[in-house]
Amino acid sequence: MGYKAFLERMGEVNDLLCAKSILSWDERTMMPRGGADTRAKQQATLTVLARDHLVADETRRFLERAEAETANLPEDSVERTICAQVREAIEYHLRIPAALVHKRAELGSVGHHVWAKARAESDLASFAPLLEETLALNREIAECIGYEGHPYDALMYRFEPGESVASLQPLFAALKEGLLPLVKAIGEKEPPRVDFLQRPFPVEAQLAFALKMARKLGYDTDRGRLDLTVHPFEISFTRNDVRITTRVNDEWMPKSLFGTLHETGHALYEQFCDPAYTRTPLATDLVGLYAVGGVSFGAHESQSRLFENHVGRSREFWELHYGELHDTFPEQLAGVDAETFWRAVNRVEPGFIRVLSDELTYDFHIMLRVEIEAALIDESLPVSDLPEAWNAKVEEYLGLDVPNDRLGVLQDVHWSSGQVGTFCNYTIGNVMAGQLFDTATTDPRIREGLAEADYLPLREWLTEHVHRHGRRYTRNQLLEKATGRTLDPAPYLAHLTRKYSDIYGI
Ligand code: ZN
């Protein structure tokens, strides 16, 4: 009975987190602006309740009984994994004093406004005091969490457990060595034409086409839906209600289409998690108290990047589906063939803004942020030198001269939310996507499927090796089981080199 009662208790924590997520979905898709203040309080209340329920003495008693009851099962059994993860989550949360959690939430609620104004006016000085406070608070939190090498390791733990400043160094070095010469060579080539992507594409037709493609890839709309938002996201409350959002820009058509394919990848992870994990910690990220699912943010991101980039931006995909796209938008795409379209949606153009960057230059935006955040946290970089350090890295990695802080250090929303340490998962996701796709496509059934627009074999392989496990394994355990080794950038680098050498004739 001990284990069953404990699971029910965890189900309640899960219910609170999922209720909070529904409020969050509504806030970002449907809620009138007037509801913002009250909604923030409602969400904060549910988060606090979930945390309190998790760390309560009574929960710990349930956990102890469950641990005793399951002690004879194998260490890697589902039961013992759940107990161990919950113990870790409780210890993590108890290490951070409530006052600091409260302070971070407060900084987050005032931060957004201060940052938005500073960004609009490109005025770092007006945001700097708040940034100083955010950094000081995060240093304090890092000390509470504890770390072996670098304080930044403690801050990344919530998002990418096991990753550290030291472990990222060889990964980043390999990416720079592999990609910098490629970006430079592409800069000397004629870019593909993209003019036709900037024509007005009617919003409804864009959404309908994007959803049609999402369904082809396996997204089950009986257990999901697509809505419009400002910042696209995927969110789930159970595997049977997994929602995605996109934004539509009628002057840059790829945004909603590839944004939808990206969120579809996230959604498949949730929709194909083992049904037995419903309402258990294996379907919910307890450490972050986020109902995100997945073993790490990077692992989750691997699924979105795989479907967006390896499937959605492949030549094969557009050889198969361009006809349908052309039928949907005959005027906008008049005189444009599949090959021209495929090249256009893969144009490489180093830019200042991370969220607008292409597949090839994206990781440089991440590497510079991780390097700068780590230096801010260990105080080797003072905030007063931040723009100079940022701009020097943009020059080094992307060959661009940053004209102002709006296009530089002030562009990301992240620091205004009180959070530091959230960036590396995007690059981990890219690398992991390359590795998984490379292994999956050694299976001829999957390759034949991709050549015939049958995406079921790929989806089934990913479900078998990734989706169904939920949060059961660590990221590297998952990779080892699926590909025979831990995180390895070689397949990702090979994919980028092959693809962009082809497009740009290098
Ligand atoms: Zn994503």
Side-chain angles (χ1 to χ4, degrees):
M1 261 324 276
Y3 179 73
K4 215 172 153 211
F6 161 71
L7 261 197
E8 182 49 35
R9 182 87 178 171
M10 286 302 101
E12 290 163 8
V13 174
N14 187 287
D15 294 343
L16 288 166
L17 290 174
C18 290
K20 186 208 159 231
S21 292
I22 294 172
L23 291 182
S24 170
W25 174 83
D26 175 75
E27 178 192 10
R28 294 150 85 181
T29 53
M30 299 288 166
M31 188 187 77
R33 221 176 331 166
D37 287 348
T38 323
R39 181 57 52 88
K41 290 199 173 62
Q42 293 160 348
Q43 295 192 65
T45 299
L46 284 175
T47 306
V48 169
L49 283 177
R51 179 193 176 277
D52 290 352
H53 208 60
L54 173 69
V55 302
D57 290 344
E58 206 184 341
T59 304
R60 279 183 281 170
R61 280 195 294 276
F62 277 114
L63 174 59
E64 274 157 28
R65 269 179 251 140
E67 283 171 336
E69 191 183 290
T70 57
N72 293 328
L73 294 174
E75 201 186 339
D76 65 350
S77 62
V78 167
E79 292 84 350
R80 283 189 63 185
T81 302
I82 290 179
C83 288
Q85 287 191 3
V86 170
R87 182 159 286 286
E88 197 183 340
I90 290 173
E91 281 166 9
Y92 174 90
H93 281 290
L94 288 179
R95 262 181 265 156
I96 309 173
L100 295 186
V101 177
H102 190 74
K103 179 96 188 290
R104 179 155 63 187
E106 252 181 19
L107 276 180
S109 64
V110 293
H112 190 84
H113 177 71
V114 177
W115 163 77
K117 191 161 178 289
R119 184 177 69 159
E121 294 164 4
S122 196
D123 174 24
L124 177 63
S126 65
F127 180 60
L130 212 99
L131 180 57
E132 297 270 19
E133 234 184 302
T134 298
L135 292 168
L137 175 70
N138 277 281
R139 279 181 212 117
E140 215 178 321
I141 290 174
E143 293 306 321
C144 296
I145 296 170
Y147 53 88
E148 277 174 21
H150 194 285
Y152 192 67
D153 303 349
L155 300 173
M156 280 193 291
Y157 173 77
R158 209 177 120 172
F159 308 100
E160 206 57 36
E163 215 53 73
S164 66
V165 170
S167 67
L168 286 174
Q169 254 161 18
L171 176 68
F172 285 6
L175 293 178
K176 287 175 197 171
E177 195 193 315
L179 301 182
L180 275 172
L182 193 56
V183 174
K184 195 164 181 296
I186 286 171
E188 286 153 16
K189 297 283 181 175
E190 193 65 30
R193 60 176 281 224
V194 294
D195 55 292
F196 52 88
L197 297 174
Q198 289 154 319
R199 293 170 187 162
F201 289 77
V203 171
E204 285 307 316
Q206 281 199 53
L207 281 179
F209 184 81
L211 191 57
K212 188 170 159 191
M213 291 299 121
R215 279 209 190 98
K216 269 191 208 298
L217 296 179
Y219 183 51
D220 177 357
T221 45
D222 287 337
R223 302 188 289 134
R225 52 179 289 136
L226 172 68
D227 292 277
L228 280 175
T229 187
V230 183
H231 302 289
F233 61 96
E234 171 272 323
I235 198 163
S236 73
F237 324 116
T238 133
R239 72 193 291 282
N240 293 324
D241 185 354
V242 181
R243 304 183 192 184
I244 57 175
T245 65
T246 190
R247 79 181 131 189
V248 173
N249 180 341
D250 68 6
E251 280 159 19
W252 184 246
M253 185 272 250
K255 194 165 273 174
S256 78
L257 176 57
F258 291 101
T260 304
L261 300 186
H262 180 101
E263 302 309 332
T264 295
H266 281 301
L268 293 176
Y269 205 145
E270 300 297 319
Q271 286 194 328
F272 293 97
C273 182
D274 189 331
Y277 295 168
T278 302
R279 284 182 85 238
T280 77
L282 296 186
T284 306
D285 175 7
L286 275 179
V287 169
L289 276 181
Y290 275 121
V292 178
V295 287
S296 74
F297 280 49
H300 222 284
E301 192 66 11
S302 76
Q303 298 307 292
S304 58
R305 302 280 166 155
L306 192 150
F307 281 98
E308 178 189 354
N309 291 330
H310 293 267
V311 179
R313 287 186 203 271
S314 68
R315 178 185 257 148
E316 208 166 32
F317 189 82
W318 291 108
E319 281 169 355
L320 293 162
H321 300 297
Y322 184 72
E324 293 163 75
L325 185 71
H326 195 276
D327 289 347
T328 312
F329 302 110
E331 281 169 39
Q332 292 84 348
L333 296 173
V336 176
D337 62 13
E339 177 79 6
T340 307
F341 180 81
W342 170 68
R343 285 169 187 275
V345 298
N346 283 295
R347 184 175 71 162
V348 175
E349 194 177 28
F352 299 110
I353 302 293
R354 175 183 61 89
V355 295
L356 300 178
S357 64
D358 53 76
E359 183 187 11
L360 186 63
T361 58
Y362 192 91
D363 294 308
F364 290 103
H365 291 272
I366 297 308
M367 290 189 277
L368 83 86
R369 278 159 179 75
V370 171
E371 289 161 354
I372 278 180
E373 278 195 333
L376 287 169
I377 286 296
D378 72 18
E379 298 185 79
S380 58
L381 175 67
V383 170
S384 53
D385 293 347
L386 174 57
E388 205 183 316
W390 182 287
N391 299 350
K393 282 190 188 289
V394 173
E395 161 74 43
E396 184 189 345
Y397 299 158
L398 300 166
L400 298 172
D401 188 8
V402 179
N404 57 52
D405 291 338
R406 190 170 57 83
L407 294 173
V409 292
L410 284 173
Q411 67 181 272
D412 295 306
V413 68
H414 300 60
W415 293 338
S416 76
S417 70
Q419 299 286 355
V420 176
T422 63
F423 283 112
C424 80
N425 65 84
Y426 298 108
T427 283
I428 302 275
N430 279 333
V431 172
M432 193 170 162
Q435 194 174 336
L436 289 169
F437 191 76
D438 183 64
T439 302
T441 50
T442 55
D443 181 340
R445 218 169 57 89
I446 292 174
R447 282 202 310 276
E448 282 158 23
L450 291 172
E452 293 164 1
D454 174 10
Y455 302 103
L456 188 62
L458 174 65
R459 207 275 295 150
E460 283 178 342
W461 188 91
L462 289 167
T463 295
E464 171 66 22
H465 293 92
V466 181
H467 305 153
R468 73 184 174 97
H469 299 301
R471 291 183 45 76
R472 180 172 179 184
Y473 299 114
T474 66
R475 186 201 72 210
N476 273 342
Q477 282 173 339
L478 199 68
L479 273 173
E480 270 189 300
K481 283 173 189 290
T483 71
R485 61 206 192 280
T486 58
L487 195 69
D488 170 14
Y492 175 55
L493 286 169
H495 153 77
L496 291 175
T497 305
R498 205 167 45 234
K499 176 168 161 184
Y500 289 98
S501 301
D502 180 10
I503 294 174
Y504 282 87
I506 294 164

Short mmCIF file of all heavy atoms in Angstrom, two decimals, residues 262-263 266 300-301 304-305 425-426, ligand 1:
data_model
loop_
_atom_site.label_atom_id
_atom_site.label_comp_id
_atom_site.label_asym_id
_atom_site.label_seq_id
_atom_site.Cartn_x
_atom_site.Cartn_y
_atom_site.Cartn_z
N HIS A 262 8.27 22.51 -35.38
CA HIS A 262 9.09 22.49 -34.16
C HIS A 262 8.24 22.05 -32.96
O HIS A 262 8.58 21.11 -32.24
CB HIS A 262 9.67 23.89 -33.93
CG HIS A 262 10.53 24.02 -32.72
ND1 HIS A 262 11.90 24.01 -32.79
CD2 HIS A 262 10.22 24.15 -31.41
CE1 HIS A 262 12.40 24.13 -31.56
NE2 HIS A 262 11.40 24.22 -30.70
N GLU A 263 7.13 22.73 -32.77
CA GLU A 263 6.27 22.41 -31.61
C GLU A 263 5.67 21.01 -31.75
O GLU A 263 5.40 20.34 -30.76
CB GLU A 263 5.18 23.46 -31.42
CG GLU A 263 5.69 24.90 -31.22
CD GLU A 263 6.76 25.07 -30.14
OE1 GLU A 263 6.78 24.26 -29.19
OE2 GLU A 263 7.58 26.00 -30.26
N HIS A 266 8.00 18.61 -30.13
CA HIS A 266 7.81 18.62 -28.67
C HIS A 266 6.55 17.83 -28.30
O HIS A 266 6.53 17.06 -27.34
CB HIS A 266 7.63 20.06 -28.17
CG HIS A 266 8.90 20.84 -28.04
ND1 HIS A 266 9.93 20.44 -27.21
CD2 HIS A 266 9.31 22.02 -28.59
CE1 HIS A 266 10.92 21.33 -27.27
NE2 HIS A 266 10.57 22.30 -28.10
N HIS A 300 14.16 17.28 -24.62
CA HIS A 300 12.87 17.67 -25.20
C HIS A 300 13.10 18.45 -26.48
O HIS A 300 12.44 18.24 -27.50
CB HIS A 300 12.09 18.52 -24.20
CG HIS A 300 10.63 18.16 -24.16
ND1 HIS A 300 9.77 18.55 -25.15
CD2 HIS A 300 9.90 17.43 -23.29
CE1 HIS A 300 8.55 18.08 -24.87
NE2 HIS A 300 8.62 17.39 -23.75
N GLU A 301 14.09 19.33 -26.43
CA GLU A 301 14.40 20.16 -27.60
C GLU A 301 14.89 19.29 -28.76
O GLU A 301 14.70 19.65 -29.92
CB GLU A 301 15.45 21.21 -27.21
CG GLU A 301 15.66 22.33 -28.21
CD GLU A 301 14.46 23.26 -28.39
OE1 GLU A 301 13.50 23.19 -27.59
OE2 GLU A 301 14.47 24.04 -29.35
N SER A 304 11.98 18.52 -31.06
CA SER A 304 11.49 19.63 -31.88
C SER A 304 12.46 19.92 -33.02
O SER A 304 12.07 20.15 -34.16
CB SER A 304 11.27 20.87 -31.03
OG SER A 304 12.46 21.25 -30.38
N ARG A 305 13.76 19.89 -32.71
CA ARG A 305 14.76 20.18 -33.74
C ARG A 305 14.79 19.09 -34.79
O ARG A 305 15.01 19.34 -35.96
CB ARG A 305 16.15 20.31 -33.10
CG ARG A 305 16.23 21.36 -32.03
CD ARG A 305 16.38 22.73 -32.64
NE ARG A 305 16.13 23.75 -31.62
CZ ARG A 305 16.61 24.99 -31.68
NH1 ARG A 305 17.34 25.37 -32.70
NH2 ARG A 305 16.33 25.85 -30.73
N ASN A 425 20.45 24.24 -23.32
CA ASN A 425 19.62 23.13 -23.81
C ASN A 425 19.30 23.23 -25.30
O ASN A 425 19.06 22.23 -25.95
CB ASN A 425 18.35 23.00 -22.98
CG ASN A 425 17.45 24.19 -23.11
OD1 ASN A 425 16.67 24.28 -24.04
ND2 ASN A 425 17.56 25.15 -22.19
N TYR A 426 19.32 24.42 -25.86
CA TYR A 426 19.01 24.55 -27.30
C TYR A 426 20.09 23.86 -28.14
O TYR A 426 19.79 23.15 -29.10
CB TYR A 426 18.92 26.02 -27.72
CG TYR A 426 17.82 26.80 -27.03
CD1 TYR A 426 18.11 27.76 -26.07
CD2 TYR A 426 16.48 26.58 -27.36
CE1 TYR A 426 17.10 28.48 -25.45
CE2 TYR A 426 15.47 27.30 -26.74
CZ TYR A 426 15.78 28.26 -25.78
OH TYR A 426 14.79 28.97 -25.16
ZN ZN B 1 11.63 24.11 -28.58
#
